[in-house]
Every structure is written in C-alpha cells, then in structure tokens.
Amino acid sequence: MALLELNNIFKTYKIGSVEVHALQGLNTVIKKNEYVSIMGPSGSGKSTLMNVIGCLDTPTEGNYLLDGLTVHSNNSEEAKLDDNKLAEIRNQKIGFVFQTFNLLPRATALHNVELPLIYAGISKKARMEKAHSTLIEVGLGDRMHHKPNELSGGQRQRVAMARALVNNPSIILADEPTGNLDSKTSAEIMVLLDKLHSVGNTIILVTHEHDIAEHAHRIITLLDGKVSEDSKTKNGSKNKLINNNS
Amino acid sequence: MGQLWESFAMAFKDVFANKTRSFLTMLGIIIGILSVSLMGTAISGINNTFENSMEMIGNDVLHLQKYPWFMKGGDWWDFRNRPDMKVEYAEKILQRSKKISFASTEMQNMGNIRYGDNSIQGVFIDAASWQLQFVNSLDLLAGRFYTKAEDRNASKVVVIGYGIKDNLFPNQNPIGEEVRIRGMKYKVIGTLKEQGKFLGLFSFDNMAIIPLRSAYSIFGRRRHMSITLKVREGFEVGEAKEEVRMIMRSIRGLKPAEKDNFAINQQEAFRQQFSAIKMGISGAGFGITALALLVGGIGIMNIMFVSVRERTKEIGIRKALGAKQNIILFQFLSEAVIIAVIGGLIGLSITISLVGLLNKFFVASLSIKLIIISLSVSIITGILSGIVPARKAAKLDPIDAIRYE
C-alpha cells in the first residue's frame, strides 16, 4: 500500500532572475512501514525533496499523494493547499527530526514534546500523558523537566524524536539526524530510529553518510533533481531484522 | 482553546523573560495611561467640587450686586462709581415681581469670633435678613434660624457654621452659649451642617450668620450690600433675571440709553468660567495622552519587530510542527497587548497613589468607568501596535524561518 506517491514532481526556484530547477520530474513511491534513505550529492535536490515530502513546501508541478490525501495535483480542480492546511497536514502526518534538533530553547523537554499535541488541539491531560509516555519511550523519563541547554546533544535529539513521534505521524522525516553528533551518540540515535521502524513507523532518512544510510532497507539516490538509483540494502534483503552494527 | 492559551502563556513568559526591555517599552503607555486616568480623575473631582459649590450658591438664585462676579472688559472705575445697593430694594422688588418668591439682603465681612479664651480669626460673617433661610438651602444641624422679629429688633443672635462649632465647642452643645463677634455679645441659636469648601478654596463651614440689622452697629450701614433673590418655582431663571433687571432700572430711574448700573449675578457666570478651565485641562490632558500613547505604541511596534526577528527560528519550528498562522499571530499580538496592559496597570496604580494627593485639594476618586476606559485604551494600543509585527510573524515561510540563525 502506497503511503506516499510522488509523480513527476518539478520544483523551480527563482533566485533573482535565475531559475533553479531543484526537482525535475521526480517519481517515487514509498510504502507503509518502509525504511528509506535518501542520498545524493549537494545540489541534487535532497533538501527540496525533503521539504516537499514534509509539506513545508509545495512542488511547482506534479502530483503528490500522502496517506490518501492529495497535497498537490496538476489537476487544478483539486486546489493547491494553503499555508494553514499544510500546517495541519504537517501536524497530523509528519514527524520531523532535524540535524540541529530545533527544540524551543526556553521550553522544557516535556513542553517541546507537547507542542505538536497542542497544535492538534488535544486536551491538557491527554497530551501530558502522551508526552510523558513518549519521552519514556525514547529513554528520557528522568529528563522531562530539563531545558535543551541542560541536555547533551544525544538527549536533545531524543527529545526531538519524541516530539516527532508523539502525534502518531504517518512518516518520520529525519534530516541528517546524526549530523551534529559524535559517532557514539550517532550510533545510539540510529538504534532508536531502527527501533521506531521495527514497531511499525515509516521512516525517511536524509543523509550523505553511507553507513548511516545503510540502516535503512532501501536507498533512493538523487542526481540533478531526479531519482538516479533506487536499491535495497543489506538490511532490506534481510527483511526487517533489527540491526545494531554501525 | 488549548492552543490560544498556550500562545498566551508563551507570550506572557516572553514579556517577563526580557524584563528591562519590556519595562522600557512600557514607559510610553505608562505615561499615556497615567495622564488619561489622572486627568479624568482630576476633572471629575473638580466637577464634583464645582457642583457642590454651585449647590451652595443655588441654581435658582439671583445675586443683585454692585459688581459683576467676573468683570469682562469695562472700566473698573465705571463699576466703582455705581450707586450702592440699598436694603429697601429687596422689598420693592418683591412687591413688583411675579417671578421672585423671596429676597434677602446681605452684608458680608470678615471678623473674629471668641468663646471664652478661644477665638477664631477670619470668620466669614454673613449679616443677612431673616428671609435668607428661604433663599439659600441652609441645613440646620441643631437649633433654629432667627425670626423676622429678631431681625427687625436687631437681636444679637447667631447661627454658626460647622467649622466654628467644631472649633469653639468641640465637646459642648453651643446652643444658648454666648460668643463675641467683633467684640459684641451674640447668643448662639443654631448650628449648620457641614457644607465643604466653595471651589475648594473657601469654607462655608467657617461662617456665622447674624441678623442684618444687628450688624449695622458692627459693620456700619454702607458695607457692600447684596440682595439675594429666589426665583419662584415654575419660572425660568433667565426670565426672572430680565424681570428683575427692568424693575431695578425703574427703581434707579435709568433712561433707555443708559447702561445698567448694577449687576445680576448667577451660577451661570461660574459655569462659563469653569467650562473654559475644564476644556483647558482636558485639552492638555488629551494632547499629552495621545502623544504618549503614540510614542508608546511605536515603541511596542518596534520591540515587537525585534522580537519577531529574534524568534524567527522559533516561529519556523512552531510552523513546522503544525502551528497555523492565526496561532502565531495570536501569540505575538498577545505579547504586544500584555506589554500595553501591564503598562496601563502600572499607570493606573501610579494614578491611584496620586489620588490621595489630589484629595488634599478636592474630593476625587478613580472611577470604575475610568479604569475600564484606561484598560481598553491599553488593549487597543497593544493591538494596533502589535498587529503589523504579528502578521509578519504569521506569514513567515517555515523553511526560511527554521534555517534562520
């Protein structure tokens, strides 16, 4: 079952009078509970694709279906979604994990994790419970009331992962999640990401590090705004076994 | 609701996270609200005092005198050379007029009152004919007013004001006691209720009323006399004034071309003076308020732009996590309004502490209405100055915002 379907996606930016063609007819399908890495040299369109998938940006052209919902369509009848509608989709369907963690610096871990639930309009009691249990799930049960600057890099990324998970999104979108971490902490984060996959989450991992990408079961390689290679990894062929070596 | 509350709470935190900055930003609003509430309080206080004072004069009373209360132009010598008022006028006017019900002749002077070893200087002594009790609203605390016979016989009786009673007879019933007014013995027959100060300056409580004829021997006959006339119920003050004017012209034998050589004073004269003063105060107050609020509003707007810029990344994160435009808008708008309202509250509390000071001059209090107006003005200023920065925040592109460092 296709969770995410990108069909002939184009994205063109205008920087001054120069047009930048970031995506040029990209096609791909990602199924539910897949674990996919997106790789490619810089300028290949990785970031743009990630923004399009994450509904932070809409394509210039092409069809994008996410979890049965048309995010963008060439057919003008199906309206292009506005800023607020996209915010709603991000809130409901996407869990972001960023390279720079992007936590609110003055809020506690708990409050950071609570945020998506607040914007989802969930009651105080329910969201406290959910945020609590999710933080425990990522191993931060004892750090809930700490602010980001009182946490280590690995712990911050765990908070970010809890925040990504908390609203049960369709996709967890991790953009270089280990980019700012040392190798030991990176390994821990990848163990957690693998675990999240094993319990049924769909994970899309954007990275330029091969050993990190290898955690996924499938690697999509981009070049010049198109998919240049789409292959299964060792893990993929082993069929969803949790893999701890890094 | 949860979202709005969270946005509001965050806004509140942010205001307090930058205490010094927020406070400096508030200054304009503080001054603006201080000025509007202080001015409002002062005006209502002055107004109350004025209305009380006008009641002392009476609004259905005409004062026939040599001089007008407020001389506008004209040569002082022209007024000076006018003939004096005479006691007989009162009777003559009463006989001829349909629109005047009572007339009382009065002579006023300052003097001292002594009881035993205590004496009060500078007492306002009102020597008035017995009809005064019908012309002015004199509320007696105890005793009685003097009678027609006592007035005719120049009896040495006195009705004393509350202040005198309080000073000379603090723990004693003054009725029946003898006091000395300018050395002459007078028997106290009545005391007046407390009246307060006239225009906050002159206390009617520090007054003694004695029969007109009894005063001739103390004051001499030719002190400035004035005749106080009460307009009969059912007639307009203006009509009665015109009637009295014609009667007086006839009494004085003035030819049609000659100007009046007397003045008929009434409350209206005070009202005109007063409304000019009031307009002056409110005009100045309004100007200061508007200016301070404008400066304060621009200050808030400026600091909100800074705040939006500083928190661009935070806005980006929030939008990525699903915050809609209105939520972001509300958060920043709340921040502006919170700053403005806290400023307003500080301004109001300064006013409250200053009201005590104002009360030394006149009875004034900060009304609920004024508090509501002040807070509404704060909220409106906050909204007006916060809306543009808040819209800017709401419209930020999440991708650009989240990358902002």
Side-chain angles (χ1 to χ4, degrees), chain B residues 220-239:
Chain B
R221 238 172 205 275
R222 292 273 174 85
R223 292 295 313 182
H224 291 145
M225 250 179 220
S226 76
I227 297 164
T228 313
L229 304 162
K230 185 163 177 91
V231 177
R232 195 182 289 280
E233 244 173 88
F235 290 100
E236 275 186 24
V237 179
E239 293 172 13

Side-chain angles (χ1 to χ4, degrees), chain A residues 47 51 56-57 83-84 87-88 90-91 96 98 100 102-104 106 111 115-116 118-121 127 163, chain B residues 2-3 6 10 14 17 311 313-314 317-327 394 397-399 402-403:
Chain A
S47 296
N51 289 339
L56 288 163
D57 206 349
D83 207 32
N84 285 332
E88 199 177 312
R90 289 195 293 270
N91 182 253
F96 290 99
F98 299 95
T100 53
N102 285 340
L103 300 174
L104 295 189
R106 282 166 301 136
H111 188 75
L115 271 178
I118 289 171
Y119 295 132
R127 62 177 198 249
R163 185 179 66 184
Chain B
Q3 299 189 43
E6 199 270 346
M10 281 307 288
D14 287 324
R311 280 186 279 149
K313 196 180 179 69
E314 177 191 322
I317 295 169
R318 286 175 181 274
K319 293 195 90 168
L321 297 179
K324 292 181 182 170
Q325 290 190 356
N326 285 345
I327 289 299
D397 178 48
I399 301 170
I402 211 162
R403 278 200 208 114

Side-chain angles (χ1 to χ4, degrees), chain A residues 63-77:
Chain A
N63 299 316
Y64 175 22
L65 262 93
L66 172 62
D67 205 6
L69 201 102
T70 307
V71 179
H72 189 269
S73 166
N74 284 339
N75 186 346
S76 58
E77 303 264 322

Side-chain angles (χ1 to χ4, degrees), chain B residues 2 10 120 160 162 174 185 213 315 338 349 381-382 392 405:
Chain B
M10 281 307 288
I120 309 176
I160 57 173
Y162 188 84
K185 274 189 190 168
R213 277 159 225 278
I315 297 164
I338 288 166
S349 49
T381 309
K392 187 187 168 196
E405 289 297 336

Side-chain angles (χ1 to χ4, degrees), chain B residues 50-195:
Chain B
F50 181 78
E51 288 306 329
N52 284 341
S53 303
M54 287 304 104
E55 234 165 75
M56 293 179 198
I57 303 179
N59 58 6
D60 53 354
V61 170
L62 298 171
H63 299 264
L64 180 58
Q65 285 163 322
K66 184 171 173 180
Y67 300 101
W69 283 344
F70 298 98
M71 294 188 202
K72 282 178 206 145
D75 193 346
W76 187 75
W77 285 101
D78 287 345
F79 294 118
R80 180 80 178 78
N81 291 333
R82 287 174 169 183
D84 285 322
M85 287 292 148
K86 290 183 179 153
V87 191
E88 310 89 81
Y89 292 170
E91 271 312 307
K92 286 185 181 166
I93 290 169
L94 264 186
Q95 278 165 16
R96 297 201 207 170
S97 168
K98 288 190 197 109
K99 296 173 182 170
I100 298 297
S101 53
F102 292 102
S104 152
T105 314
E106 290 173 63
M107 284 196 301
Q108 284 149 358
N109 209 336
M110 305 302 268
N112 64 324
I113 289 194
R114 195 158 64 80
Y115 175 69
D117 294 333
N118 297 327
S119 81
I120 309 176
Q121 304 292 325
V123 172
F124 178 66
I125 298 164
D126 189 13
S129 53
W130 64 281
Q131 294 98 327
L132 183 71
Q133 56 191 311
F134 307 115
V135 172
N136 276 5
S137 49
L138 294 172
D139 288 326
L140 284 168
L141 183 72
R144 61 177 180 86
F145 205 76
Y146 45 84
T147 62
K148 186 175 181 177
E150 281 170 321
D151 187 17
R152 289 261 183 272
N153 300 336
S155 302
K156 296 278 193 285
V157 290
V158 61
V159 176
I160 57 173
Y162 188 84
I164 295 173
K165 182 222 157 233
D166 217 31
N167 269 311
L168 289 186
F169 305 96
N171 304 309
Q172 190 184 345
N173 180 8
I175 309 289
E177 298 298 319
E178 274 193 342
V179 294
R180 280 179 183 273
I181 299 176
R182 285 195 164 188
M184 302 284 278
K185 274 189 190 168
Y186 274 84
K187 194 169 107 184
V188 179
I189 57 165
T191 53
L192 296 174
K193 281 189 186 157
E194 193 166 9
Q195 297 202 57

Side-chain angles (χ1 to χ4, degrees), chain B residues 160-402:
Chain B
I160 57 173
Y162 188 84
I164 295 173
K165 182 222 157 233
D166 217 31
N167 269 311
L168 289 186
F169 305 96
N171 304 309
Q172 190 184 345
N173 180 8
I175 309 289
E177 298 298 319
E178 274 193 342
V179 294
R180 280 179 183 273
I181 299 176
R182 285 195 164 188
M184 302 284 278
K185 274 189 190 168
Y186 274 84
K187 194 169 107 184
V188 179
I189 57 165
T191 53
L192 296 174
K193 281 189 186 157
E194 193 166 9
Q195 297 202 57
K197 287 182 171 180
F198 181 72
L199 298 180
L201 302 169
F202 170 84
S203 173
F204 265 138
D205 294 324
N206 209 17
M207 174 165 85
I209 307 172
I210 56 175
L212 180 65
R213 277 159 225 278
S214 80
Y216 289 168
S217 50
I218 336 178
F219 293 164
R221 238 172 205 275
R222 292 273 174 85
R223 292 295 313 182
H224 291 145
M225 250 179 220
S226 76
I227 297 164
T228 313
L229 304 162
K230 185 163 177 91
V231 177
R232 195 182 289 280
E233 244 173 88
F235 290 100
E236 275 186 24
V237 179
E239 293 172 13
K241 186 176 175 180
E242 195 51 33
E243 192 198 41
V244 171
R245 196 170 82 89
M246 296 325 286
I247 294 170
M248 270 307 287
R249 287 185 66 90
S250 136
I251 293 173
R252 288 263 168 99
L254 295 174
K255 297 194 180 90
E258 284 179 295
K259 281 200 232 166
D260 293 348
N261 56 3
F262 53 89
I264 304 171
N265 292 313
Q266 64 179 113
Q267 250 192 29
E268 198 51 36
F270 277 99
R271 283 196 188 279
Q272 280 168 8
Q273 293 290 314
F274 178 64
S275 65
I277 294 169
K278 208 161 65 171
M279 290 251 286
I281 297 174
S282 28
F286 184 79
I288 294 168
T289 304
L291 208 64
L293 288 179
L294 182 71
V295 172
I298 291 170
I300 293 182
M301 193 183 287
N302 187 39
I303 221 69
M304 288 314 296
F305 275 124
V306 172
S307 185
V308 170
R309 171 153 295 221
E310 276 178 354
R311 280 186 279 149
T312 301
K313 196 180 179 69
E314 177 191 322
I315 297 164
I317 295 169
R318 286 175 181 274
K319 293 195 90 168
L321 297 179
K324 292 181 182 170
Q325 290 190 356
N326 285 345
I327 289 299
I328 302 291
L329 182 95
F330 183 80
Q331 181 182 342
F332 284 89
L333 206 52
S334 307
E335 194 174 321
V337 171
I338 288 166
I339 290 176
V341 168
I342 292 177
L345 288 173
I346 294 175
L348 275 175
S349 49
I350 296 174
T351 299
I352 289 169
S353 63
L354 289 180
V355 163
L357 209 68
L358 277 181
N359 270 319
K360 292 197 173 145
F361 304 101
F362 45 76
V363 182
S365 62
L366 187 60
S367 64
I368 299 289
K369 190 177 139 205
L370 208 52
I371 292 175
I372 292 170
I373 288 174
S374 298
L375 290 179
S376 311
V377 167
S378 307
I379 292 170
I380 291 166
T381 309
I383 291 173
L384 288 181
S385 51
I387 190 79
V388 177
R391 278 180 65 92
K392 187 187 168 196
K395 297 258 180 220
L396 280 176
D397 178 48
I399 301 170
D400 295 339
I402 211 162

